[in-house]
Amino acid sequence: MAALLDVKELQAGYGVIEVLKGISIHVDPGEIVTVIGANGAGKTTTLMTISGIVKTRGGSITFDGKDLGRMAAHDIVKLGLAQSPEGRKIFPRLTVLENLRMGAFTRKDEAGIKEDIEKSYHYFPILKERHKQLGGTLSGGEQQMLAIARALMARPKLLLLDEPSLGLAPMIIIKIFDVIRELNRESNMSVLLVEQNARMALKLAHRGYVMETGSITFTDRAEALLNDPRIQAAYLGE
């Protein structure tokens, strides 16, 4: 089975700073893969480069058989790859409903868009209650739900999630991770998850990668990483 996302020897950075030093990762169809590591390891840069926001300096990114290396970010979304960014970055002066519609900016199928808005309300009922409310007035947890729902409006084959649990209450984190699991199980959606809560990420994922200073240092089945004494000592507080 060919990988849905295949990243090989990827190099990227900002200005004179090299952040990614030749990393290789892949995500198969229907798979949840997590990348864990300390702050500054390069996890967010990995997602931003896959999304086309940060340009590659070497290596290759192939998604669904297509080379993303020179592709504009909005064209990557059209292929079926959407990101929910770190820090949520919703549109604070737009309503919840308007934010959701912004997630469907590449689409013209109005009936399908309305159907997917209702699906968003199914996964996150609080968004239906708040649909006329400005995004900037929502709580942090509600904004995170909105950011994920907005990404889902692009109907992605692969959803990139950057630190979805950051700064949220435990009950909200559980709700968000339950929705990710449900999306994967019901629609076979592939997910690439960057997450500092390594324990929750590894319990959710099928496979994992450990990143340190721009390099992949471990990769294995998520369950094996959870039980690895080196990973426990470094990332799980054991």
Side-chain angles (χ1 to χ4, degrees), residues 12 14 23 40 49 67 85 89 100 121 128 148 160 164 167 197 205 224:
Y14 309 93
I23 67 164
T49 309
D67 181 5
K89 296 184 174 64
L100 292 175
Y121 294 158
K128 186 167 189 175
I148 293 171
L160 307 183
N197 189 330

Side-chain angles (χ1 to χ4, degrees), residues 8-21:
K8 291 182 177 175
E9 297 297 324
L10 182 63
Q11 298 171 5
Y14 309 93
V16 298
I17 301 171
E18 182 186 44
V19 178
L20 303 181
K21 302 169 184 176

Side-chain angles (χ1 to χ4, degrees), residues 212-227:
E212 296 177 8
T213 58
S215 300
I216 300 295
T217 53
F218 297 99
T219 180
D220 207 332
R221 291 177 300 107
E223 185 180 5
L225 291 173
L226 260 176
N227 294 316

